[in-house]
Structures are given as C-alpha cells and as structure tokens.
Amino acid sequence: MSIAQLAPAMTRGSSRWLLLGSLALNLFFIGVVVALAIRSPAPAPAWDRDVFVRVERIAGSLPPADAEILRNRIKASRADIEAAQNRHRAAQDIIRDALRAQPFDADALRTAMANTRVARQAFDQTIQAMFAGSATEMSQAGRQALADWPPGRKTTGNKP
C-alpha cells in the first residue's frame, strides 16, 4: 500500500468519527437544554411597589387568624398608609425631575434627596406602626411567621 492509497482511506474513516462525534455532542447539548427546561425553578413573583400588595403576600403566609388581624389593621390604616406612600413616590418623582433638569442643579437634587429621605422615613414609620399594632394581637406562630418572612428563608430563629 502506497501513501496515495492510504490517504483516502484515512479520510473516509476519520470523517465517520467526526460525524459520530458531532452527533454525540449535539445530543449532549440537546439533553442539557431539555434538563434545564424541566428543572428550572418557577419564576419568583414580581416585586410590586404597592405596599398593599406586599402586605397581602405577607398575610397569605400567616396562620388564618393572624392574617385576618393584619388585613384588618391595614384596612384601618389604609388612608394614612396611602398618603405616606403617595408622598414618598412624589418625592421620588422630584428627584427624577431634578436629574432631568437642564441646566442641572446639584443643590436641587440634594434637596430633593433629603426630602425623599424624610418622606421615606415617615412612610416606614407608618407601616411599622401598623405591623407593631398587628403583632401585639397575633399569636406566637404569627409573629414567628413575620420574623421568618419570606417563607423558607434561613434565619437564626428557624434553623433546624
């Protein structure tokens, strides 16, 4: 057998191995994609800026009696909470306006940011007062569920 006869024989055999290797690699990648599609976790619920939506999610994770306490408290405090939330959002809008202003005024931005901090603190105090009032009426299990929010989070209070 000469070199001229050996070269075509090697090419035929190596192209079969190349085809087989390519097929195996493609099947591997298809398997990985299918496995990831099957095992992918459910998407987390979208974060909502509205405090009432977030509090309802929290209430849904509480024991029924405690959830009712929280819902009643939020209903009773709704006007104050809405007003504080609206003031905070309006203050955030003023920051956005200050950033867009032409010519830009850094002092106006700083003032808007300071006002937003004040509005955020008032909003936080309103929400925290509602939660503190609710927690005083809740069972130990309800307060524990609040402490462990979101459900399944590992904290010092719920470690096995």
Side-chain angles (χ1 to χ4, degrees), residues 114-150:
N115 292 337
T116 301
R117 281 192 300 276
V118 170
R120 177 61 193 207
Q121 186 174 17
F123 176 58
D124 286 346
Q125 287 173 339
T126 304
I127 292 295
Q128 290 168 3
M130 185 273 306
F131 272 103
S134 299
T136 60
E137 299 174 19
M138 287 184 184
S139 67
Q140 175 61 32
R143 289 192 307 276
Q144 185 68 41
L146 282 177
D148 294 339
W149 179 261

